[in-house]
Amino acid sequence: MTGFADYQNEIYRDGLDNRTPILPTELTALEGLARERLDPRAFGYVAGSAGTESTARANLEAFRRWRIVPRMLRDVAVRDLSVELFGRRLRSPLLLAPVGVLTIMHPEGELAVARAAAAEQVPMVLSTASSHSIEQVAQAGGAGHRWFQLYWPDDRDLAASFVQRAHDSGYETLVVTLDTHTLGWRPRDLDQAYLPFLGGAGVANFFTDPVFQKIVGDPIDETNRDRAIGIWSRLFGNPSLTWDDLPFLRERWEGPIVLKGIQHPDDARRAVDAGMDGVVVSNHGGRQVDGAAGALDALPAVAKAVGDRLTVLYDSGIRSGSDVIKAMALGARAVLLARPYAYGLGLAGQAGVRHVIRCLLADLDITMATSGNARVADLSPDLLTTAPGH
């Protein structure tokens, strides 16, 4: 085997010197380890979801309902995991999803993630709610591919400033999250009375922004920090947004625009009508709406509705190589990974993020081979069957 699967051979070779991986290679095991080792409030913030957390469970259950049917005697000696997104050829269909306030997991936060992503040639999608600024993360990521995720604030000049800063710092694609104009009801955080933003984490892009500083009245320091956080809490979300607001971004961003949080085919069609370039089928990992359908359940209908007119990506519940295969077979062009890399960051910093990326891609590469598939671009629903009882 070649390519990403070489990580498996590397691990076995290290075993000859009594060296084992720095973290588990089965990515679902990271959550339990993070629960044991990390600050309980920080762990709860990342692991938690809305309400009873039934939507987060539904995300994982949706993958279990689909089963891969392996095919035999196909030439899989060399696999091609590359995909083309918005005119750029990427060596794999993996992106790191936007996860905010990552300094609660590790002091280097998004900087460590950017370095790990660049080292593995995986695009990182930087969250608006990062603990390091747009410019700092761009510098840390060097020549790596980077996208910027916008939480559209309740101030148009501030939104325009975020977008301009991302453009000036070399971010290639704008990802607009639609489902978090208001924070979901998250009991894990509520029971701890813990919102990390109020302690100053995840607000770097606001505090370093000239428009935000003008709103506050001065550059932010210890003398006006509490006032700045109060203004942040007022401006962070904008529940009044409608489809009619999208031209505002289209006029200010020359590159691809992707709408994240799409779950209904009609919304996907409206994205096409609005001139958007892509959608991310996602329910925010179950963090916003309790009792919602698993995101994977929404993917086939969205892909059928608009897959020939814009790029369909998938997020929510990716934990293994087989999950990537299932999502792509059901219509996604690429997938976004979130919680597992955040756990890897918290447990082992930059090296932990790299380990998570390498494990997922090796698993994907090997499962492609063992299931008889040489190219991710050729995956289709014919590869899958539904599990008994579903």
Side-chain angles (χ1 to χ4, degrees), residues 99-114:
V99 178
V101 295
L102 283 174
T103 51
I104 68 172
M105 301 298 278
H106 188 278
E108 290 193 335
E110 296 83 9
L111 303 181
V113 174

Side-chain angles (χ1 to χ4, degrees), residues 159-184:
S161 183
F162 285 158
V163 168
Q164 187 62 50
R165 290 170 61 194
H167 172 271
D168 293 346
S169 296
Y171 292 78
E172 302 163 1
T173 298
L174 182 65
V175 179
V176 186
T177 295
L178 304 180
D179 58 17
T180 314
H181 49 73
T182 302
L183 287 180

Side-chain angles (χ1 to χ4, degrees), residues 276-293:
M276 300 295 101
D277 302 281
V279 296
V280 182
V281 176
S282 168
N283 57 31
H284 214 103
R287 292 171 65 79
Q288 285 300 98
V289 180
D290 190 26

Side-chain angles (χ1 to χ4, degrees), residues 247-298:
F248 176 84
L249 292 181
R250 182 77 282 173
E251 292 165 4
R252 288 161 175 79
W253 184 266
E254 296 178 358
I257 300 179
V258 176
L259 302 184
K260 182 174 181 286
I262 298 297
Q263 299 172 68
H264 195 287
D266 287 348
D267 285 343
R269 294 185 185 99
R270 296 203 69 169
V272 173
D273 294 340
M276 300 295 101
D277 302 281
V279 296
V280 182
V281 176
S282 168
N283 57 31
H284 214 103
R287 292 171 65 79
Q288 285 300 98
V289 180
D290 190 26
L296 192 71
D297 293 330

